[in-house]
Amino acid sequence: GETEVDEDGNWSFTPDTPLDEGKHEFTVVERDEAGNEGKPSDPFVVVVDTTPPGQPVIGEVIDDVGLVQGPVGNGESTDDTTPTLKGKGEPGDTIVVIDNGTPVGETTVDEDGNWSFTPDTPLDEGKHEFTVVERDEAGNEGKPSDPFVVVVDTTPPGQPVIGEVIDDEGPIQGPVDNGGSTDDTTPTLVGKGEPGDTIVVIDNGTPVGETEVDEDGNWSFTPDTPLDEGKHEFTVVERDEAGNEGKPSDPFVVVVDTTPPGQPVIGEVIDDVGLVQGPVGNGGSTDDTTPTLKGKGEPGDTIIVIDNGTPIGETQVDEDGNWSFTPDTPLDEGKHEFTVVERDEAGNESKPSDPYVVVVDTTAPGKSEVGEVIDDEGPIQGPVDNGGSTDDTTPTLEGKGEPGDTIVVIDNGTPVGETEVDEDGNWSF
């Protein structure tokens, strides 16, 4: 085509027919009114490009702030108010970043085909639906990318609570009181939280592990490594998916104690029934079917009483270190070999005590008889007949009985003394 230079010396030309897609090398020749033509201009090359770029993709969104860093999944949360978006495109193209429908900035695809964008202005708390549009050098814009949703969350969770600590080892199992003892070196901590949040467990100031709050809002944690003997002050911190951490929980103290008490001793067994009362010697007899056992131990510990190999009851050591036990059920007639075991608050049990044997005997002896009365004074000595006379004011009474039994001598209805049946079954008084 042709055009004329205007009175100001300027010219312009717009093709009547659209140019084809591709490279166009333009030159112009100036012709004067006499028909003389000058030398052609140097070429001016234009590439006609009406094809838009392909649909771009937001490859990833990177959080580089706080405790949880790295890629943020589509639909996930971040505490980074200026996260970095990344992707690929045609080198030299422009990436237009759109947040919730509003363009928030642009970046250029580098020579390696990569682009990244970090907002200059911090994002508001809440949901951000990012899309990007790729614009080529000719100004063609492609279809917007699929959305990539990021939730900006800079609000920390509330202060968590350790609900309870569970002992599932040894004879004493179940919840452990705050400040209490346990023989379980891997007790289980449990509590509640926001589903999906992470619970960081801290023991004496050092993090020892993490667990996740389940969909019902519950969490539990059992240490992988057994706890050392001694005091453990547990706290937990709740961390949300964005990486925000709440205030630590109040402490929950547990004392790990796997050392059993020393071997206990049955100090004495007390008979408080019948004519003969008081301590019963080891191996001795008693007519008390509920004698009282006594001893010493560590205040707060439990004493388990065992009779002939069978536990029959328990009692607690008082604050002064003393314990006593009286059977609820009367003991059977016969030999009873008592032992006791001391169990501490953590559930550790001692070695059994040495046996303490008591023979329960509630059967009265048979009818006793005076075998003979001996006169050993004056001219007439020897046995005195029943109903007979004697000049011996201290005659000797003799008879037989059960070895070890006591013979009570009664004169005219009044007890005047006692003697013991010897090992041969004889007695004299």
Side-chain angles (χ1 to χ4, degrees):
E2 295 184 357
T3 187
E4 192 168 324
V5 182
D6 67 18
E7 59 187 5
D8 297 321
N10 300 312
W11 62 267
S12 70
F13 174 82
T14 303
D16 293 328
T17 303
L19 301 176
D20 293 334
E21 189 98 356
K23 178 180 176 182
H24 293 265
E25 183 176 289
F26 290 106
T27 57
V28 294
V29 173
E30 187 168 349
R31 181 196 304 135
D32 63 18
E33 294 181 25
N36 299 297
E37 288 188 351
K39 182 179 176 183
S41 67
D42 291 331
F44 194 108
V45 177
V46 173
V47 179
V48 174
D49 175 10
T50 60
T51 303
Q55 184 183 24
V57 173
I58 300 173
E60 59 184 359
V61 176
I62 304 296
D63 174 328
D64 56 8
V65 166
L67 294 167
V68 178
Q69 297 188 17
V72 180
N74 195 340
E76 293 184 352
S77 298
T78 177
D79 60 349
D80 187 353
T81 58
T82 56
T84 298
L85 287 68
K86 292 186 175 184
K88 290 188 174 291
E90 190 65 28
D93 282 3
T94 298
I95 299 297
V96 183
V97 181
I98 302 164
D99 175 16
N100 291 336
T102 301
V104 291
E106 299 182 357
T107 188
T108 301
V109 182
D110 66 24
E111 58 186 8
D112 297 320
N114 301 310
W115 62 267
S116 70
F117 174 81
T118 303
D120 294 326
T121 303
L123 303 175
D124 294 334
E125 189 99 353
K127 178 181 175 182
H128 293 264
E129 184 175 287
F130 289 107
T131 55
V132 294
V133 170
E134 185 168 349
R135 181 196 302 137
D136 63 21
E137 296 180 39
N140 301 294
E141 289 191 349
K143 183 180 176 183
S145 69
D146 290 332
F148 196 113
V149 176
V150 171
V151 178
V152 174
D153 175 10
T154 59
T155 303
Q159 184 184 23
V161 173
I162 300 174
E164 55 184 2
V165 176
I166 306 295
D167 174 328
D168 55 9
E169 292 287 333
I172 298 178
Q173 298 188 16
V176 181
D177 291 336
N178 193 341
S181 298
T182 176
D183 59 349
D184 187 353
T185 58
T186 55
T188 298
L189 287 69
V190 297
K192 291 188 174 292
E194 189 67 25
D197 281 2
T198 297
I199 299 296
V200 182
V201 182
I202 301 163
D203 176 16
N204 291 335
T206 300
V208 292
E210 299 182 358
T211 189
E212 191 166 328
V213 183
D214 66 22
E215 59 187 5
D216 298 321
N218 300 311
W219 61 265
S220 69
F221 175 82
T222 304
D224 293 327
T225 303
L227 302 176
D228 293 334
E229 189 99 354
K231 179 181 175 183
H232 293 264
E233 184 174 288
F234 288 107
T235 55
V236 295
V237 170
E238 185 166 351
R239 180 197 301 141
D240 64 21
E241 296 180 38
N244 302 294
E245 288 194 346
K247 182 179 176 183
S249 70
D250 291 332
F252 197 113
V253 176
V254 171
V255 179
V256 173
D257 175 10
T258 59
T259 303
Q263 184 183 23
V265 173
I266 300 173
E268 58 183 359
V269 176
I270 304 297
D271 174 327
D272 55 7
V273 165
L275 293 168
V276 178
Q277 297 188 16
V280 180
N282 194 341
S285 297
T286 177
D287 60 348
D288 187 352
T289 59
T290 55
T292 299
L293 287 69
K294 293 187 175 184
K296 289 188 174 292
E298 188 67 25
D301 282 2
T302 297
I303 300 296
I304 303 164
V305 181
I306 302 163
D307 176 15
N308 292 335
T310 301
I312 58 170
E314 299 182 357
T315 188
Q316 194 162 358
V317 183
D318 66 23
E319 59 187 7
D320 297 322
N322 300 311
W323 62 265
S324 69
F325 174 82
T326 303
D328 293 326
T329 303
L331 302 176
D332 293 335
E333 190 95 355
K335 178 181 176 183
H336 293 265
E337 184 175 287
F338 290 108
T339 55
V340 295
V341 170
E342 185 166 349
R343 180 198 298 141
D344 64 21
E345 295 181 39
N348 301 294
E349 291 190 351
S350 71
K351 181 179 175 183
S353 69
D354 291 334
Y356 197 111
V357 176
V358 171
V359 178
V360 173
D361 177 8
T362 59
T363 303
K367 181 180 178 182
S368 55
E369 292 185 2
V370 179
E372 56 185 0
V373 176
I374 305 297
D375 174 328
D376 54 8
E377 290 288 335
I380 299 175
Q381 296 186 13
V384 180
D385 291 335
N386 193 344
S389 298
T390 177
D391 60 352
D392 187 351
T393 58
T394 57
T396 298
L397 286 69
E398 294 183 350
K400 290 190 174 293
E402 188 67 26
D405 282 3
T406 298
I407 300 298
V408 182
V409 182
I410 303 165
D411 178 13
N412 290 330
T414 301
V416 292
E418 298 181 0
T419 187
E420 191 167 326
V421 181
D422 67 21
E423 58 186 9
D424 297 322
N426 300 310
W427 61 267
S428 71
F429 173 82

